[in-house]
Amino acid sequence: MTVTVRFAPSPTGRLHAGNIRTAIINALFARRSGGDFILRLDDTDKERSTKEFARGIEEDVAWLGLAWSSLVHQSDRLALYAAAVEKLKEKGRLYPAYETPEELELKRKRQLARGKPPVYDRAALDLTDDEKAAFEAEGRKPHWRFKLEPVDVVWDDLVRGRQHVDAGSLSDPVLIRGDGTFLYTLPSVVDDIDLGVTHVIRGEDHVANTAPQIQLFEALGASAPSFGHHNLLVGADGQALSKRDRALSIQGMRAEGLEPMAVVSYAATIGTSDPIAAHESLDELAEAFDFAKLSRAPARFDPHELRLLNAKLLHERPYGAVAGRLEALGVGGGQAFWEAVRGNLSVLEDAKDWWTVVTGPLEPVIEDRGFCDAAAKLLPPEPWGEESWGAWTAAVKAETGAKGKALFQPLRLALTGLAHGPELKQLLPMIGRERVLSRLLGETA
Ligand code: GLU
């Protein structure tokens, strides 16, 4: 059996930390199993779905490096759903109901007042043809409900273990709205059948949809796939994440300059028994992927932790992996520069600032004029290598008596204009004697 999974966002917004985890878990499972990863855009809700969001989602998934084997839009597949509707009607599993939302609400309130669960009472099943005609004459349009069978539905959830749901305790789900549009349930099941989806992997918020969907698979003559419901995210404070927080949107992370593999690594390891760690390849993450590692407790998404992971990834990244991007940023200095500065980067683009520190122009900070003048006089002639810094500062120490921070800090401030940064023994030869001299003398260089 070839594993086929799908990530099925509704294009009613861009992707954010919460839903990319579903994408990543699906993609890693597919990769691990040598299977297919389908990107399905659930765009049957015409009011809330837009083409821009759909394209944005494709962009976000592609940026994360999660290659899909096929891309489908539900809006292209309406004929399939219509055929399924006919099939369900023939089998007596789909029935029209005419209650308005207000009437349904009133029924719910009455049931609750009597201490009963607010389950749809199936009154519509008892309507005669005349009664239906009377409603239609009033201008009411029916919505359509799927008639559940009152049996115990069981599935072995890949994450949560064996699950039992008494379908007799559920309301018959509405599959088609009064305006003829589909709710998510039927198109999703029809597509899962048609596309040969073997594993439906999604967030825990869909657990309640599973029993009706299993009955729907069966009513349509298919056997249900496996299901797995992963834990959801909470913020660092344990509260639900806000979809509006830009720092949590993939677009925002991208604009900030985060590395896709940092985002993927973080999302793949939080809420699991694996340590949170940066990985450079999807294969590595896929290799480690196992449903059994997913925790049942909510996963904590801490934007700060993600940023630290991003920095860690950069700190370990070899020059060859970034050479092209550095060049595009106008950053020179080759491998020596990269190795000198990578430990000081939060995002790759920070390399630009360090390159300016090397090439100038830069405003030096002179704390002690006399000290800097003395240091300038002791500058050795070029060529310089990594040993030049040690030789020079030893001479300055011997001459001025300054040591430790009192020796190094004024030199760092004069040479870089900053109190912290990469090792000066590495930067010094790149800055070069001419600029070092000017900066020690307080000139912009
Ligand atoms: N469009 C649904 C959602 O975004 C898909 C759910 C599913 O994976 O079945 O929640």
Side-chain angles (χ1 to χ4, degrees), residues 84 87-93 146-156 163 165 167 175 185-186 188-190 192-194 209-227:
K87 203 162 177 180
L88 293 174
K89 282 183 185 167
E90 270 162 32
K91 291 193 167 180
R93 299 294 298 272
F146 176 54
K147 193 173 163 211
L148 293 172
E149 284 182 12
V151 295
D152 194 28
V153 179
V154 183
W155 78 94
D156 287 313
Q163 307 284 302
V165 174
L175 300 188
T185 313
L186 176 76
S188 182
V189 169
V190 170
D192 289 340
I193 296 171
D194 185 60
N209 295 332
T210 306
Q213 286 183 351
I214 288 175
Q215 289 206 0
L216 200 45
F217 275 101
E218 288 164 0
L220 290 169
S223 47
S226 300
F227 286 88

Side-chain angles (χ1 to χ4, degrees), residues 285-326:
L285 280 166
E287 195 59 43
F289 178 81
D290 189 342
F291 286 110
K293 291 180 180 171
L294 284 168
S295 138
R296 292 285 303 272
R300 260 171 39 106
F301 186 95
D302 180 350
H304 178 66
E305 210 173 7
L306 166 60
R307 278 140 191 91
L308 290 178
L309 199 68
N310 192 74
K312 198 155 176 275
L313 196 78
L314 290 173
H315 299 174
E316 288 160 9
R317 198 168 266 180
Y319 175 65
V322 289
R325 287 168 70 196
L326 291 175

Side-chain angles (χ1 to χ4, degrees), residues 140-207:
R140 291 199 192 204
K141 296 262 182 281
H143 50 274
W144 294 79
R145 290 187 186 261
F146 176 54
K147 193 173 163 211
L148 293 172
E149 284 182 12
V151 295
D152 194 28
V153 179
V154 183
W155 78 94
D156 287 313
D157 197 282
L158 297 161
V159 183
R160 301 160 64 85
R162 179 151 286 212
Q163 307 284 302
H164 289 266
V165 174
D166 168 16
S169 70
L170 303 175
S171 293
D172 289 338
V174 177
L175 300 188
I176 309 172
R177 297 185 186 88
D179 65 2
T181 60
F182 291 104
L183 279 103
Y184 134 83
T185 313
L186 176 76
S188 182
V189 169
V190 170
D191 285 340
D192 289 340
I193 296 171
D194 185 60
L195 301 169
V197 169
T198 56
H199 297 74
V200 170
I201 304 162
R202 55 192 180 184
E204 258 176 3
D205 48 339
H206 284 290
V207 170

